[in-house]
């Protein structure tokens, strides 16, 4: 029990901020909305995803970030949603800055890191990280 408590405490202390994740966040945004003239108004997946990171209502709700779903059109708010989502579903990947897991969970949901369909998404994100 003590070890679990310490792990939880450690993850809370070293949890990255948007600034430490900037490269990954920018790469994900490029994959999701490219160089769209106005990514804040981007709508995808037949209207089911909004904003520069193409966040669905279910993703937003799972993040637990207070506000309104439509606010995911705002880049800073959307990034708070993403970080909260990662803290919930893959906190150890967030703490160790495992970009692959974070990108695949963003794309495929809580189990996205283990789903084969998110591998190509990670490949596109990785290409933008290399730039």
């Amino acid at each position: 029990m003590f070890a679990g408590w310490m792990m939880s405490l450690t993850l809370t202390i070293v949890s990255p901020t948007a600034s430490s994740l900037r490269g990954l966040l920018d790469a994900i945004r490029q994959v999701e909305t490219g160089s769209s003239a106005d990514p804040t108004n981007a709508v995808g997946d037949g209207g089911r995803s909004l904003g520069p990171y193409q966040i669905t209502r279910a993703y937003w709700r799972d993040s637990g970030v207070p506000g309104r779903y439509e606010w995911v059109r705002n880049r800073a708010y959307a990034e708070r949603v993403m970080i909260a989502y990662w803290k919930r579903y893959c906190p150890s990947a967030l703490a160790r800055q495992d970009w692959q897991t974070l990108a695949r969970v963003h794309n495929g949901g809580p189990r996205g890191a283990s789903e084969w369909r998110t591998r190509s998404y990670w490949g596109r994100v990785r290409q933008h990280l290399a730039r």
Side-chain angles (χ1 to χ4, degrees):
M1 181 159 151
F2 181 76
W5 175 79
M6 287 300 291
M7 178 64 145
S8 161
L9 179 62
T10 302
L11 293 175
T12 302
I13 291 169
V14 299
S15 183
T17 63
S19 63
S20 66
L21 296 167
R22 177 57 41 216
L24 176 64
L25 292 167
D26 289 346
I28 290 173
R29 185 177 42 79
Q30 280 297 314
V31 169
E32 294 292 354
T33 54
S35 45
S36 171
D38 187 10
T40 59
N41 288 317
V43 177
D45 301 321
R48 292 186 312 268
S49 300
L50 297 180
Y53 296 102
Q54 293 295 284
I55 295 173
T56 65
R57 187 176 297 274
Y59 185 122
W60 167 77
R61 193 175 298 120
D62 278 356
S63 77
V65 175
R68 298 181 55 139
Y69 171 59
E70 294 75 23
W71 295 356
V72 300
R73 294 177 185 272
N74 174 279
R75 183 174 168 177
Y77 180 80
E79 289 172 357
R80 284 184 47 217
V81 167
M82 292 169 70
I83 292 167
Y85 189 83
W86 289 331
K87 283 181 180 179
R88 178 174 182 184
Y89 289 111
C90 52
S92 61
L94 184 62
R96 68 178 185 276
Q97 298 185 359
D98 176 350
W99 299 159
Q100 179 175 196
T101 297
L102 298 175
R104 292 176 72 183
V105 166
H106 174 75
N107 179 249
R111 291 182 293 278
S114 61
E115 293 183 14
W116 67 269
R117 66 184 178 84
T118 63
R119 287 175 26 195
S120 63
Y121 180 83
W122 164 241
R124 293 192 310 274
V125 171
R126 187 177 58 222
Q127 285 178 337
H128 285 283
L129 280 168
R131 295 179 184 166

